[in-house]
Amino acid sequence: MDVVFQKTKGLTDKPFSYCPGCTHGIIHRLVAECLEELNLLDEVIGVAPVGCSVFAYDFFNCDMHEAAHGRAPAVATGIKRVHPDHPVFTYQGDGDLASIGTAEIVHVAHRGEKITTIFVNNAIYGMTGGQMAPTTLVGQKATTAPYGRDAALCGNPIRMSEMLATIDGAVFVERVAVNTPANIRKAKKAIKKAFEVQLQGLGFGIVEVLSTCPTNWGLTPVESLNWLEKNMIPYYPLGNFKSPKEEV
Ligand SMILES: Cc1ncc(C[n+]2csc(CCOP(=O)(O)OP(=O)(O)O)c2C)c(N)n1
Ligand code: SF4
């Protein structure tokens, strides 16, 4: 009988530790499928963050390294410079990348480090119990913003992709979402492209993935997908912000 579906070799057999309905799992699978399809599993080196994806080193079936909060781009820089022939990626949440790690991600882009970043934006700090992140939407409730984020007090949510796309060393910047099958397919295409850009040695690439956190949003998994579509996508528009010139 023909095999029509099988598990990607890019993931180990370890069960995910994510809450039911959390889309971190979908994003893991997409990254893993891209690594398998590009035949990179034996050479790629990933860097895991803090946050709910802290155990990414157990889930991806490739060499992985752990980094302290926000420091994954700095750790990845060191790895890439020591092993320039190996593809290197970071997998980071929005608290990790857009809060403590803002400096690291901005400078990795400025230096044009030839690494790939998968940036999971779920508009909240997931693992530590739902505190406000730089990406939390205005009016969105968080444990540290019980009446909803107030822009006058906390500023507006930060659009990392738009900001990073202004930096010369960032050559591939795209925002995708994993709320529908069609968007999941587009997300995979963007992730694959980001790795291909790295393999061509063109510079820094980042894919921002709009993701859900049913647990801290206080919604069911299905309600979370709808909330993402109605609230996140209007503020964080999907699309490609930057591609290498020959790709445009
Ligand atoms: C250096 C450092 N500072 C703070 C923390 C505490 N901490 C662990 S996870 C986390 C929030 C991570 O949120 P996010 O990056 O949005 O990931 P998510 O859990 O939502 O996927 C924080 C603040 C830490 N582990 N290390
Ligand atoms: S707390 Fe949120 S981000 Fe973390 S695993 Fe649960 S649903 Fe996912």
Side-chain angles (χ1 to χ4, degrees):
M1 201 195 294
D2 286 345
V3 176
V4 290
F5 178 81
Q6 62 185 348
K7 189 176 156 294
T8 171
K9 292 186 181 67
L11 294 174
T12 63
D13 288 331
K14 181 112 180 164
F16 287 152
S17 47
Y18 301 111
C19 306
C22 174
T23 44
H24 259 304
I26 296 175
I27 303 164
H28 273 28
R29 188 186 164 99
L30 296 182
V31 174
E33 284 180 356
C34 290
L35 294 174
E36 183 187 6
E37 287 166 23
L38 291 167
N39 214 10
L40 297 178
L41 287 172
D42 288 341
E43 41 180 322
V44 71
I45 303 166
V47 184
V50 301
C52 290
S53 48
V54 64
F55 300 122
Y57 51 74
D58 275 341
F59 303 141
F60 286 111
N61 198 12
C62 63
D63 282 340
M64 293 291 293
H65 202 294
E66 181 55 60
H69 198 299
R71 312 303 182 233
V75 172
T77 297
I79 293 173
K80 185 73 182 187
R81 288 185 177 209
V82 173
H83 299 289
D85 296 331
H86 286 254
V88 176
F89 74 97
T90 72
Y91 185 104
Q92 303 175 255
D94 50 297
D96 184 279
L97 181 141
S99 187
I100 295 185
T102 329
E104 278 72 13
I105 200 70
V106 166
H107 286 284
V108 97
H110 266 292
R111 295 193 306 268
E113 299 293 346
K114 296 170 183 61
I115 66 165
T116 303
T117 289
I118 311 301
F119 165 39
V120 181
N121 179 358
N122 60 12
I124 205 141
Y125 278 32
M127 184 194 228
T128 45
Q131 295 88 354
M132 186 178 67
T135 45
T136 298
L137 296 174
V138 170
Q140 183 185 343
K141 288 186 177 155
T143 55
T144 48
Y147 304 112
R149 181 180 184 143
D150 175 356
L153 191 65
C154 311
N156 285 296
I158 188 166
R159 293 188 181 98
M160 290 303 296
S161 288
E162 285 83 339
M163 182 178 85
L164 292 171
T166 66
I167 298 174
D168 289 347
V171 295
F172 184 84
V173 183
E174 186 156 331
R175 184 184 289 121
V176 296
V178 286
N179 60 316
T180 63
N183 279 346
I184 289 170
R185 277 196 292 276
K186 285 184 199 155
K188 180 169 173 184
K189 210 169 154 202
I191 292 168
K192 201 175 221 176
K193 186 90 225 161
F195 278 111
E196 284 166 351
V197 164
Q198 178 179 171
L199 294 175
Q200 291 159 21
L202 298 175
F204 175 66
I206 181 166
V207 180
E208 174 175 349
V209 189
L210 302 185
S211 185
T212 65
C213 180
T215 300
N216 289 299
W217 292 357
L219 300 173
T220 66
V222 173
E223 286 168 349
S224 298
L225 296 172
N226 293 333
W227 192 90
L228 186 162
E229 182 173 351
K230 286 198 181 64
N231 298 281
M232 289 185 78
I233 294 179
Y235 189 83
Y236 296 115
L238 306 183
N240 183 271
F241 295 96
K242 210 168 184 185
S243 278
K245 282 194 177 52
E246 64 271 28
E247 305 288 341
V248 177

